[in-house]
Amino acid sequence: MIGQLIDGPLWYFSLAVFGVGMLYRLYSILRAGVKPDLATPRAGGGAGALRNLFSRFAPRRDVATRGRLTLIAGYLFHLGLFALLFFAQPHVDFLAERITGFGWPALPYWAFIISAELALVGLLLLWLHRLLHPVTRLLSSVDDHIGTGLVFLVMLSGCLALAQAFEPLRLLHLFLAELLLIYFPFSSLMHTFTFVFSRGYTGAMMGRKGVNA
Amino acid sequence: MSHDFAKGVAALESQIDSRIAAYFSSCVHCGLCAEACLFYTETQDPRYTPIYKLEPMRRLWKEQHTFWGKFAIKLGLSKPLSEQDFADWEELVYDSCTLCGRCSMVCPVGNDITYMIRKEREGFAAAGYTPPGLQEATHRALTIGSPMGVTLKTLQAALRHVERNTGLKIPMDRQGADYMALFSSMEVVNFPEYIESVARIFDAARLSWTISSQAFEATNSGIQIGSREAAREIVGRVVDAAESLGVKYVISPECGHAYTAIRWEGPNLIGRPYKFEIIHILELLDQLQQEGRLKLSGLTETPLTFHDPCQIVRRGGVIEPPRDLLGKVASGFVEMADHGEMNWCCGGGGGVSANERAEGLRLKVFDRKRKQLEALGVKTLVTACANCRIVLEEGIEDRDMDVAVIGLTELVAEHLATTPATASDGSGAES
């Protein structure tokens, strides 16, 4: 009964909350509007926005040195999670069956395991840093910890459910993922999408000034 | 100054546009911006983390624009923004931020934190939570015409000295001149040699230029304190004078924030594009030099480095001209490890140098520049901003360092190929 709920209605409900909530958040950002810049630009804003969208994936030298731990842990977590989420065989099968209707090549099992381990290590390091470093401890809100905690639980249950032999673990993993989907649009996890806006806005403004942001 | 919390909240609320909403939505509190801020690196005080300085604005955004924010306020789970927050954050917003923009360059999600703080100051200014030093400077700018109280008579006295030293006639209120030059109060009072250098260079290049008796002050305290109304009034004076004289260009002086004010914020403040162009003095000198109108000779062999004024370089986009010019006049020019777009601020921009209350902190964070200079080992520091220059000189004095600070325009003037024998009248005509 609970398994059917998790596998069926709750999945579609969480997906709907995620989709509608995410679109509403993006709409609410755009709705606030931006006044046109009347200063004569030195260069095009579009090119600056596009450049900044990608250039920020690489850190500036100074911060790469001073914030080494955050950066390394950040890369481990994000890259590991991306590989895990979209290229782990169970996820490819799940997404093909439930959403896309088609599959794509998945990572070999060993690469999937390494990705999961890297992502988990990265996340734990980031969380520890958040808890222990004076700056991140001061900045962090309850939302930051709930978001990190949910992601951690989803990943942990995913590792436990790997064998696929024990159905309750798979259901637990799916249930936690559904909770994450429901929480996602109301949290700072939205940076997954909104970073495109923030990098774009800054890149456009700085690009107009002729600065490579 | 009296306090008006409701007005402050309304002003803060009106600043929340798509950019601000996207920035707050994207921030994951990673803390990397702290590593780019000299107020944090030199004190290790986490309260100086740039994004933390935006906590009042973030709380307002959260309680008005997010589900959990509205929900938590309704249930009494979080406290709404209070007047005490303005009082508590005033020091962080004004004393420990020079609007240098370094944090904006390193944020992984791309937040322009400096833009956010500039906007936040609008709310603080409206609420009346601003440093007395900046209030007084803004008041003087609005009533006298200059944040330092420089009047037309003060300028005329300085110009008489320039005329005596150079034998040149400084053109005032010349209708139809190509260029209208602006100065900062700091240049008039502390560094009149800048005006002298400009006069000699323009004469050598046969530039058609003038100074307006109606608007010669380039600095804009309204930008620094965060008062759009004051900033608009101050920019408007320059626009009116330039348009009534019919000039093609207005020359922004070396002063950094003056450039940001007149070049990038000005048209947005008055609500329309200008009928003239703004050119920074360094852009103009570089252009004149490239066109062959400014002939330079000799090279300074003294090892020297360049301090990039944040508002001219990182926030203004005038990055190569100072380097081109230095390459033409100095053979011993070396860059600091972090330079250009990633320079470290002098510590006195964004109104901090006008804020007496912040002096101790400003001198403390000067350590960042001291370390840069000591790592390089040069004894001459060139810069292109009168405010940076005075702040650097004070820091050097405070740290008992043996470093001389000189202005780039003056250095260029020292290398003019020939000194004109005849007194030009600034009309641009051959005499």
Side-chain angles (χ1 to χ4, degrees):
Chain A
M1 175 67 185
I2 292 176
Q4 283 175 338
L5 179 73
I6 292 170
D7 242 347
L10 192 58
W11 161 250
Y12 290 108
F13 174 73
S14 61
L15 202 60
V17 170
F18 172 75
V20 172
M22 187 262 291
L23 288 174
Y24 180 75
R25 280 292 298 274
L26 297 182
Y27 164 72
S28 70
I29 288 172
L30 293 173
R31 191 182 52 179
V34 177
K35 286 182 183 157
D37 182 9
L38 301 173
T40 309
R42 197 172 267 133
L50 199 60
R51 186 174 53 235
N52 200 40
L53 184 57
F54 293 102
S55 67
R56 294 273 170 145
F57 283 118
R60 296 266 178 182
R61 184 190 63 84
D62 177 54
V63 166
T65 311
R66 300 180 61 88
R68 196 179 289 125
L69 175 70
T70 309
L71 287 166
I72 292 172
Y75 277 126
L76 289 178
F77 168 64
H78 284 95
L79 292 174
L81 182 66
F82 182 79
L84 196 62
L85 192 58
F86 295 109
F87 295 99
Q89 190 67 60
H91 289 164
V92 172
D93 294 343
F94 182 85
L95 293 170
E97 184 196 324
R98 302 286 183 104
I99 299 175
T100 61
F102 60 86
W104 54 89
L107 285 171
Y109 187 75
W110 62 266
F112 161 33
I113 296 298
I114 288 175
S115 301
E117 285 171 354
L118 292 179
L120 213 50
V121 167
L123 183 66
L124 285 173
L125 282 174
L126 287 173
W127 206 358
L128 279 174
H129 187 261
R130 189 176 285 292
L131 289 165
L132 300 176
H133 195 280
V135 167
T136 41
R137 202 167 53 222
L138 179 70
L139 295 177
S140 297
S141 61
V142 175
D143 169 47
D144 294 317
H145 292 294
I146 294 175
T148 311
L150 268 175
V151 173
F152 174 75
L153 289 176
V154 171
M155 288 172 66
L156 185 69
S157 61
C159 291
L160 295 175
L162 255 185
Q164 296 269 335
F166 194 43
E167 179 65 4
L169 280 178
R170 187 192 70 80
L171 285 174
L172 176 66
H173 178 54
L174 183 58
F175 175 67
L176 289 166
E178 286 163 353
L179 286 185
L180 184 64
L181 282 175
I182 292 168
Y183 184 69
F184 194 103
F186 306 105
S187 71
S188 59
L189 296 170
M190 273 299 289
H191 76 275
T192 311
F193 299 102
T194 57
F195 84 95
V196 176
F197 291 80
S198 45
R199 285 188 186 178
Y201 281 133
T202 299
M205 180 54 73
M206 298 303 276
R208 287 169 64 82
K209 292 180 175 180
V211 176
N212 188 356
Chain B
M1 183 180 253
S2 61
H3 297 148
D4 190 335
F5 175 63
K7 199 174 162 195
V9 171
L12 206 52
E13 196 181 322
S14 71
Q15 302 303 315
I16 300 175
D17 59 6
S18 284
R19 285 181 70 182
I20 300 285
Y23 293 157
F24 280 131
S25 299
S26 298
C27 180
V28 289
H29 299 145
C30 70
L32 279 175
C33 52
E35 305 296 349
C37 176
L38 77 170
F39 287 94
Y40 171 74
T41 62
E42 302 315 299
T43 64
Q44 295 295 302
D45 184 340
R47 293 181 316 125
Y48 294 145
T49 301
I51 199 71
Y52 186 68
K53 296 167 191 171
L54 285 151
E55 195 58 14
M57 198 182 202
R58 188 194 70 81
R59 284 176 56 187
L60 189 68
W61 165 79
K62 196 174 177 199
E63 68 189 46
Q64 292 188 347
H65 294 262
T66 70
F67 173 78
W68 289 124
K70 290 174 187 169
F71 187 69
I73 290 283
K74 281 211 171 104
L75 292 186
L77 296 172
S78 78
K79 284 189 289 184
L81 184 68
S82 70
E83 184 153 6
Q84 189 57 43
D85 294 322
F86 278 96
D88 291 344
W89 258 264
E90 184 194 314
E91 184 236 338
L92 296 181
V93 173
Y94 288 99
D95 299 22
S96 68
C97 177
T98 59
L99 301 177
C100 82
R102 206 166 187 275
C103 51
S104 300
M105 302 297 275
V106 306
C107 174
V109 293
N111 288 354
D112 187 352
I113 301 167
T114 307
Y115 170 84
M116 299 167 89
I117 294 179
R118 163 72 184 86
K119 291 281 188 183
E120 189 178 47
R121 284 188 180 186
E122 291 280 341
F124 275 69
Y129 284 93
T130 51
L134 262 180
Q135 287 170 23
E136 288 153 16
T138 309
H139 179 70
R140 282 192 294 270
L142 290 172
T143 54
I144 302 172
S146 145
M148 291 172 69
V150 170
T151 62
L152 179 60
K153 285 194 186 335
T154 323
L155 175 71
Q156 285 169 330
L159 294 181
R160 268 197 296 280
H161 284 292
V162 171
E163 288 182 337
R164 206 161 32 240
N165 291 346
T166 61
L168 298 168
K169 174 82 183 140
I170 306 296
M172 287 288 282
D173 296 324
R174 180 188 295 283
Q175 195 69 35
D178 288 342
Y179 293 86
M180 182 178 103
L182 299 174
F183 302 102
S184 72
S185 292
M186 193 77 82
E187 286 157 354
V188 177
V189 175
N190 294 64
F191 306 112
E193 55 268 36
Y194 167 78
I195 305 176
E196 192 172 317
S197 302
V198 163
R200 290 178 55 217
I201 292 169
F202 288 177
D203 178 64
R206 298 295 173 200
L207 206 73
S208 160
W209 72 293
T210 190
I211 297 171
S212 167
S213 60
Q214 301 303 307
F216 52 85
E217 174 63 69
T219 59
N220 193 320
S221 308
I223 298 281
Q224 296 175 325
I225 202 167
S227 167
R228 188 179 171 82
E229 292 72 28
R232 181 169 47 222
E233 162 69 21
I234 296 166
V235 164
R237 292 171 186 167
V238 174
V239 174
D240 290 346
E243 291 183 353
S244 78
L245 285 172
V247 298
K248 294 175 190 156
Y249 302 91
V250 168
I251 306 167
S252 174
E254 285 191 340
C255 175
H257 93 265
Y259 181 62
T260 282
I262 194 77
R263 173 68 175 87
W264 299 112
E265 288 215 26
N268 298 307
L269 288 166
I270 65 165
R272 66 170 172 85
Y274 298 145
K275 294 174 184 166
F276 50 86
E277 287 182 37
I278 299 289
I279 188 163
H280 189 265
I281 183 69
L282 297 184
E283 289 181 295
L284 178 59
L285 298 187
D286 194 35
Q287 183 187 311
L288 292 173
Q289 178 264 126
Q290 287 183 18
E291 289 170 359
R293 294 173 68 187
L294 177 59
K295 294 189 169 48
L296 302 169
S297 70
L299 289 170
T300 298
E301 290 174 5
T302 314
L304 51 83
T305 190
F306 183 65
H307 165 77
D308 292 276
C310 308
Q311 298 299 322
I312 294 172
V313 179
R314 180 164 45 241
R315 304 294 289 179
V318 184
I319 302 159
E320 292 309 318
R323 289 166 171 80
D324 287 348
L325 291 166
L326 277 166
K328 291 285 183 294
V329 298
S331 58
F333 169 50
V334 282
E335 294 274 23
M336 287 183 255
D338 293 311
H339 61 267
E341 291 156 356
M342 287 308 288
N343 77 304
W344 286 95
C345 180
C346 63
V352 172
S353 66
N355 176 2
E356 294 90 346
R357 189 179 67 192
E359 188 181 342
L361 183 60
R362 170 167 62 80
L363 289 169
K364 163 93 180 139
V365 303
F366 177 76
D367 266 343
R368 175 51 55 178
K369 192 56 65 180
R370 177 185 62 77
K371 288 172 201 162
Q372 279 195 291
L373 288 169
E374 287 176 355
L376 215 53
V378 300
K379 301 289 182 195
T380 304
L381 178 61
V382 182
T383 192
C385 168
N387 188 58
C388 289
R389 188 168 168 182
I390 201 96
V391 169
L392 291 166
E393 285 180 346
E394 283 180 20
I396 286 166
E397 189 66 24
D398 185 65
R399 293 292 186 278
D400 205 17
M401 295 166 69
D402 179 23
V403 175
V405 186
I406 54 174
L408 180 52
T409 304
E410 292 149 56
L411 186 63
V412 170
E414 283 172 17
H415 289 271
L416 281 173
T418 52
T419 306
T422 53
S424 155
D425 59 1
S427 67
E430 296 289 338
S431 53

